Amino acid sequence: MQKLQLLQNQYNPTSDDIFYHIVQAPPDPIFGIANAYKADTSSTKIDLGVGAYRTDEEKPYVFEIIKKLEKEIVNDPTLNKEYLPIEGLADFNKGCQKLMFGQNSPLIASGQIVTAQCLGGTGALRVGFEFVKRHIPGDVYVSKPTWSNHNQVIERAGLNQFEYPYFEPKTKGFNCAGTIECLSQARMGSIVLLHVCAHNPTGVDPTEAEWLQIADVCKKRRLVPFFDCAYQGFASGCIEKDVFAVRKFAELGFQMIVAQSFSKNMGLYNERVGAIHIVTSNKDISARVLSNLKIVIRTICSNPPAIGARIAAKILTDEKNFNAWVEELKTVTGRIIKMRTLLKQELDNLQVPGNWDHITRQTGFFTFTGLTPEQCDLLTKQYHVYLLRSGRMSMAGITSKNVRYLAESIKAVVQKK
Amino acid sequence: MLCFKVMRNFSLWSSVPLGQLDSMSGVVAQYEADDFPQKVNLGVNTYRDNNGNPVVLESVTKALQMVREKKLDNEYPPIEGLQSFIEAAIKVGYGESYYAKNNKNIAGCQVLSGTGAVRLGFEFLNKFVPSGTKVFVPNPTKNIHPIIAKMAGLQSQEYRYFDPITKQVDFSGLSEDLYSAPNGSIVLLHACSHNPTGCDLELYQWKQILDLTKQKQILPFFDMTYQGFTSGDLEKDAQAIRLFTEAGVPIILGQSFDKNMGLSGQRTGCLSLVCSNEKEKLIVVSQLNLIARSLWSCPPVHGARIVETVLNNPELFKLWLCELRVMAQRMKKMRVSFTKALKDIGSPHDWSYISKQFGMYSLTGIGPAQIKELIEKYHIYLLNNGGISIAGLNESNIKYVAQAFHEVTKHNFI
């Protein structure tokens, strides 16, 4: 009633009517930190917030192979600059399938994988969950904790969500028994959101044996695996090993959904390069699934942006480019692993109270430090170290120059009474 | 060791029916597969020059060169996109003088072209307008408009727009339908180059809709996909925007740079809402960001960097205006020539509406049987709704197309 009253008065030029009742939305937990860091004028500030790679000089990094290929594409007069098909660039999609499922996966040849280009990882997740809502609606189980945007995407897609106890704070490891227990109580046909590798925010991944246990409970409860793969290459440093879970589940005959992002592993953050894969039981069903996936995509963006996918396709479908990319990726992931080692050394040298083994045990971009929200606030306010209040630290923001200051700051907040 | 296989004859997706998409996609595929030398694509959805080729604008090429010279990184932009692009888009959409006075009140967000603008806009409205508020869309409109409304949780209803007999706007029908809409309804309006009919409103008609808007507290949502591409004049094409905003009506505007900059592959658009003051604008932007974060996290930057460069560089902007005029004038010329060719051939029907319209599309009223004949006998591809894309016509094919149209329609009333 009040809203209607406000609307009726809307053309009074002195009133704040139509949007009067709208309240400020909270800043995004991750982008908000990035903004706060940008605004900070301290010379010792460290950005460990958003998961974006930095060099040892604290600079953003554009892959050399990306620069080379972008130049080729821009200077190619034969390239069609027009709309891509709704499902995106065919070469890109094929390349994504091979990277995810393996060059010689029989599922590719049999037409059981439906693939569409999406707007980064977020775009793939949203398309996937919208598809789920429309065609196989059910409860979604997400890890506790998970990437903050997962909860928002699932909610906006209109699905209910529950948590499975993923992270064990005592061991700072994967809570396998708790996860299996929880999933075995899930309603049949529920969807389980699983991080393929380099779990965000914890950096803790199941072992191969633990993945088989997860597969077992998914089979028993007819749960639909929905894999989120944003860090292929960043966990073990080996791109094949990192997607063990997806390939294993595929081998075991699961029908499932996979969201794939190239934001981090190709450094294509701002061109929104991703893909969704839906694994079906035969190619006739694949055709029906694709036609419906296209409807979901059509109503979000009509068709995806071209440049990022063209660059990625050139990497994924050309052996020379692919090898160059893999080498460069190893350098990038190698630096992150080195920073983990350095930070642990510094913390040990400074005899910072607590067990910091998890820093080198966890994998990928992030470490779940175990710092409390209050300690994180203090780290930020007093020491200008920016991280998430959950204690998640992006290791890519650590450098050989700032690692000692970081360790000293951590020591200070841990020791503070 | 656990070892098992999931049952292979169980299909998770067995209940998924075949999805039906709109009229465009099938046509393009058929045309591409056809090897008839005189084939004509009148379903093309981007500009073609007189040789039937897509055009990369010189202003865009130069802008891209300038962008590349800056050697920018690939970092995530803010959720709302590039601020410099948003400002430039709002400036060209709302006009310099309105922008100068009011830019602090306009909440803007970079989106994935026109579709993205409608999706983000409708999701935002669904969250904040009173529940049960309907979106009124013209009959006909782009196929996806009512589908996106549904996806966003809004009910949609049609208002009369096109009279298939006169092939003009059914303005009395439109007025009646909008007048009887509930107060506070959202009304989707095509600013120019109405898709799919090509029939645009005259200024005096816009003024009457403005009065109706004020009376009924309507929330106008403008879809402006073809600014500059319609008449060649940015201001003329945005005349409805100028009229409504200068009258103090808070509008919602979706802009696309697909067609007018030939950047269709890069998906560059802007959604903006006119707020009462800066504080409100910041609040609205924060809410738009919340929704955008779960749709795409942040938009792609390539196209936005190019558009922003063209709009902000005086030389490139001038060059772009010339190129816009060339495209718009060619399409107008084709409209006039096509009408004349049909008249010269001796068609019994009145095709003059085609020459009176502007922009990409016309709705001919040609029926399914005739569309089939045009494809099978003449290899001329129309849209399934009888619509034609004027950009597909050129000096080499216009007589052939006119002849074919005459043959399939001479005995049939359309």
Side-chain angles (χ1 to χ4, degrees):
Chain A
M1 193 56 205
Q2 197 194 6
K3 280 180 191 174
L4 198 58
Q5 182 64 40
L6 289 169
L7 271 178
Q8 281 168 357
N9 297 338
Q10 75 188 13
Y11 300 124
N12 176 348
T14 59
S15 78
D16 300 337
D17 292 343
I18 309 178
F19 307 123
Y20 182 77
H21 61 294
I22 303 178
V23 296
Q24 180 82 18
D28 182 83
I30 299 168
F31 278 88
I33 305 259
N35 291 340
Y37 169 82
K38 273 192 200 111
D40 188 331
T41 53
S42 157
S43 59
T44 57
K45 66 178 181 176
I46 306 180
D47 182 6
L48 305 177
V50 72
Y53 179 77
R54 293 283 176 277
T55 63
D56 205 51
E57 289 77 39
E58 281 183 83
K59 293 265 179 297
Y61 180 69
V62 180
F63 283 62
E64 289 303 320
I65 185 69
I66 301 283
K67 282 185 201 164
K68 172 176 176 272
L69 295 174
E70 189 258 347
K71 191 174 177 184
E72 272 176 36
I73 288 164
V74 158
N75 292 327
D76 185 351
T78 65
L79 266 182
N80 183 343
K81 309 265 197 279
E82 307 237 293
Y83 289 115
L84 287 181
I86 297 169
E87 68 273 24
L89 193 65
D91 278 352
F92 170 75
N93 290 344
K94 267 255 127 47
C96 287
Q97 287 178 349
K98 291 191 173 155
L99 185 65
M100 181 58 61
F101 295 92
Q103 287 273 2
N104 303 311
S105 166
L107 293 176
I108 299 178
S110 65
Q112 283 171 258
I113 307 178
V114 180
T115 301
Q117 184 187 333
C118 291
L119 303 169
T122 301
L125 288 160
R126 181 61 180 264
V127 165
F129 282 117
E130 293 263 344
F131 185 88
V132 162
K133 171 74 179 178
R134 264 145 202 78
H135 299 290
I136 52 158
D139 298 332
V140 182
Y141 281 76
V142 298
S143 63
K144 179 182 182 176
T146 195
W147 180 46
S148 53
N149 204 22
H150 278 152
N151 308 108
Q152 288 177 133
V153 171
I154 294 165
E155 197 188 314
R156 291 298 297 174
L159 295 161
N160 292 328
Q161 51 191 305
F162 299 90
E163 288 179 313
Y164 57 90
Y166 186 86
F167 184 71
E168 174 49 71
K170 293 197 198 85
T171 59
K172 295 199 177 61
F174 170 52
N175 180 356
C176 190
T179 292
I180 301 298
E181 233 252 76
C182 178
L183 294 182
S184 57
Q185 312 290 329
R187 207 180 302 192
M188 288 226 178
S190 296
I191 294 93
V192 191
L193 185 60
L194 300 156
H195 299 226
V196 173
C197 64
H199 183 273
N200 178 2
T202 68
V204 159
D205 293 335
T207 61
E208 293 190 359
E210 286 167 338
W211 274 120
L212 289 177
Q213 290 185 57
I214 297 171
D216 190 42
V217 73
C218 286
K219 184 216 170 192
K220 289 204 170 83
R221 303 296 300 162
R222 294 216 161 173
L223 306 179
V224 181
F226 191 139
F227 284 104
D228 183 356
C229 186
Y231 299 100
Q232 185 177 7
F234 280 97
S236 66
C238 170
I239 52 174
E240 269 89 30
K241 196 154 178 264
D242 282 356
V243 290
F244 165 82
V246 172
R247 294 187 185 185
K248 191 46 128 184
F249 275 57
E251 185 196 317
L252 292 171
F254 275 96
Q255 291 159 61
M256 56 193 185
I257 308 176
V258 185
Q260 183 178 21
S261 167
F262 293 94
S263 293
K264 322 288 197 277
N265 60 14
M266 287 192 185
L268 285 168
Y269 309 96
N270 63 2
E271 298 299 357
R272 318 312 296 127
V273 189
I276 184 150
H277 306 282
I278 298 183
V279 180
T280 71
S281 57
N282 68 62
K283 68 178 193 316
D284 295 326
I285 294 186
S286 289
R288 299 209 303 265
V289 166
L290 178 62
S291 66
N292 284 280
L293 207 52
K294 280 159 77 164
I295 292 176
V296 173
I297 294 170
R298 180 90 167 91
T299 60
I300 294 176
C301 67
S302 274
N303 41 70
I307 188 89
R310 289 199 188 282
I311 295 171
K314 280 192 172 244
I315 289 176
L316 297 171
T317 59
D318 175 289
E319 198 179 333
K320 212 164 151 213
N321 292 336
F322 187 82
N323 292 337
W325 170 60
V326 168
E327 280 315 300
E328 233 181 315
L329 185 58
K330 283 202 177 107
T331 316
V332 164
T333 58
R335 197 188 88 71
I336 296 180
I337 292 169
K338 192 170 170 203
M339 291 303 107
R340 288 185 178 277
T341 310
L342 271 183
L343 179 61
K344 170 92 168 55
Q345 272 174 14
E346 291 289 339
L347 291 168
D348 288 343
N349 290 344
L350 291 171
Q351 294 176 322
V352 180
N355 182 342
W356 300 97
D357 288 347
H358 54 286
I359 289 187
T360 42
R361 193 170 20 92
Q362 291 167 3
T363 64
F365 259 74
F366 306 111
T367 287
F368 220 39
T369 55
L371 294 169
T372 66
E374 294 71 32
Q375 287 170 330
C376 293
D377 287 343
L378 195 59
L379 257 184
T380 304
K381 290 194 177 81
Q382 202 157 329
Y383 299 94
H384 306 277
V385 173
Y386 289 80
L387 73 167
L388 300 195
R389 292 191 86 236
S390 60
R392 185 194 93 167
M393 211 177 252
S394 170
M395 307 310 275
I398 303 177
T399 69
S400 53
K401 296 172 200 63
N402 67 26
V403 65
R404 168 147 322 160
Y405 173 75
L406 174 60
E408 285 165 354
S409 309
I410 293 173
K411 182 175 184 182
V413 307
V414 161
Q415 288 186 323
K416 190 180 173 73
K417 293 287 177 267
Chain B
M1 164 146 161
L2 292 165
C3 194
F4 56 87
K5 294 275 184 200
V6 175
M7 284 164 62
R8 287 202 186 279
N9 56 2
F10 156 69
S11 170
L12 189 57
W13 316 105
S14 54
S15 63
V16 174
L18 187 65
Q20 292 300 322
L21 262 171
D22 54 28
S23 48
M24 197 85 83
S25 40
V27 171
V28 172
Q30 265 190 290
Y31 171 82
E32 240 121 68
D34 188 338
D35 54 17
F36 186 73
Q38 274 91 40
K39 65 177 179 176
V40 181
N41 185 1
L42 295 183
V44 67
N45 60 358
T46 49
Y47 181 75
R48 292 284 177 276
D49 64 15
N50 199 40
N51 298 316
N53 295 322
V55 171
V56 177
L57 300 185
E58 198 188 332
S59 52
V60 165
T61 305
K62 289 191 159 136
L64 176 57
Q65 182 60 30
M66 287 170 67
V67 168
R68 296 190 70 240
E69 277 161 14
K70 290 185 192 167
K71 295 196 196 303
L72 300 165
D73 59 45
N74 284 354
E75 295 299 283
Y76 285 123
I79 299 174
E80 68 269 22
L82 294 183
Q83 199 51 40
S84 53
F85 162 76
I86 296 166
E87 299 280 314
I90 287 175
K91 195 169 170 191
V92 79
Y94 291 80
E96 284 219 39
S97 67
Y98 186 84
Y99 174 83
K101 285 186 231 136
N102 299 287
N103 76 84
K104 287 194 164 59
N105 305 344
I106 305 176
C109 196
Q110 185 191 336
V111 291
L112 283 285
S113 289
T115 302
V118 173
R119 179 61 182 258
L120 182 60
F122 281 1
E123 288 217 9
F124 175 86
L125 289 170
N126 182 51
K127 236 180 148 179
F128 295 110
V129 296
S131 85
T133 303
K134 282 192 195 162
V135 180
F136 282 77
V137 299
N139 176 11
T141 189
K142 291 180 192 170
N143 288 340
I144 50 156
H145 283 157
I147 300 174
I148 294 180
K150 193 170 173 205
M151 291 280 195
L154 290 169
Q155 271 184 77
S156 69
Q157 191 171 319
E158 286 178 327
Y159 60 87
R160 280 170 284 175
Y161 186 83
F162 181 69
D163 182 340
I165 313 283
T166 63
K167 308 265 191 321
Q168 288 176 14
V169 175
D170 172 7
F171 197 70
S172 57
L174 180 157
S175 305
E176 250 178 65
D177 288 349
L178 291 190
Y179 193 74
S180 60
N183 282 7
S185 295
I186 304 157
V187 176
L188 187 78
L189 299 153
H190 296 222
C192 54
S193 251
H194 181 274
N195 179 358
T197 68
C199 272
D200 288 344
L201 294 159
E202 308 267 354
L203 189 60
Y204 79 92
Q205 291 170 325
W206 280 121
K207 285 180 176 166
Q208 290 184 47
I209 297 181
L210 174 63
D211 287 339
L212 205 69
T213 299
K214 288 185 195 170
Q215 255 189 296
K216 308 272 303 166
Q217 292 91 45
I218 278 167
L219 207 46
F221 192 137
F222 284 98
D223 181 342
M224 187 154 73
T225 306
Y226 300 97
Q227 188 187 10
F229 192 70
T230 306
S231 70
D233 181 333
L234 291 170
E235 290 305 300
K236 180 165 191 290
D237 291 351
Q239 64 179 352
I241 314 301
R242 305 287 174 271
L243 186 69
F244 277 59
T245 53
E246 264 141 41
V249 170
I251 66 165
I252 302 167
L253 175 63
Q255 293 166 270
S256 168
F257 293 89
D258 288 1
K259 316 281 199 280
N260 61 13
M261 286 214 190
L263 282 171
S264 42
Q266 308 311 332
R267 325 300 300 119
T268 309
C270 185
L271 173 74
S272 54
L273 290 83
V274 175
C275 305
S276 306
N277 54 54
E278 189 172 6
K279 181 172 165 223
E280 199 171 271
K281 166 229 166 117
L282 293 170
I283 290 174
V284 168
V285 170
S286 76
Q287 291 290 349
L288 288 172
N289 280 357
L290 200 54
I291 300 170
R293 179 57 159 143
S294 65
L295 280 168
W296 48 64
S297 269
C298 53
V301 306
H302 183 80
R305 283 174 172 167
I306 294 172
V307 173
E308 181 262 326
T309 304
V310 172
L311 295 179
N312 285 333
N313 179 298
E315 256 183 63
L316 291 183
F317 186 73
K318 213 168 147 195
L319 175 57
W320 177 53
L321 291 181
C322 290
E323 293 181 297
L324 270 177
R325 274 197 291 273
V326 165
M327 292 194 285
Q329 281 166 8
R330 192 187 92 72
M331 285 190 292
K332 187 64 173 172
K333 189 172 175 199
M334 286 301 102
R335 287 181 175 279
V336 169
S337 304
F338 190 54
T339 305
K340 183 171 185 298
L342 283 158
K343 191 169 177 207
D344 291 347
I345 275 172
S347 172
H349 308 295
D350 180 5
W351 300 88
S352 61
Y353 65 92
I354 293 182
S355 61
K356 290 180 195 150
Q357 292 165 350
F358 288 88
M360 286 261 282
Y361 300 107
S362 275
L363 209 50
T364 60
I366 287 178
Q370 295 155 323
I371 293 173
K372 194 160 179 267
E373 197 183 340
L374 278 169
I375 294 176
E376 287 170 4
K377 206 166 166 192
Y378 298 97
H379 304 268
I380 295 174
Y381 293 78
L382 270 66
L383 297 168
N384 295 345
N385 59 4
I388 58 172
S389 169
I390 302 293
L393 291 171
N394 55 57
E395 278 160 14
S396 318
N397 66 23
I398 208 159
K399 282 204 166 75
Y400 173 70
V401 177
Q403 185 68 46
F405 270 46
H406 174 59
E407 290 304 319
V408 308
T409 62
K410 60 188 180 190
H411 300 305
N412 302 300
F413 171 76
I414 52 164

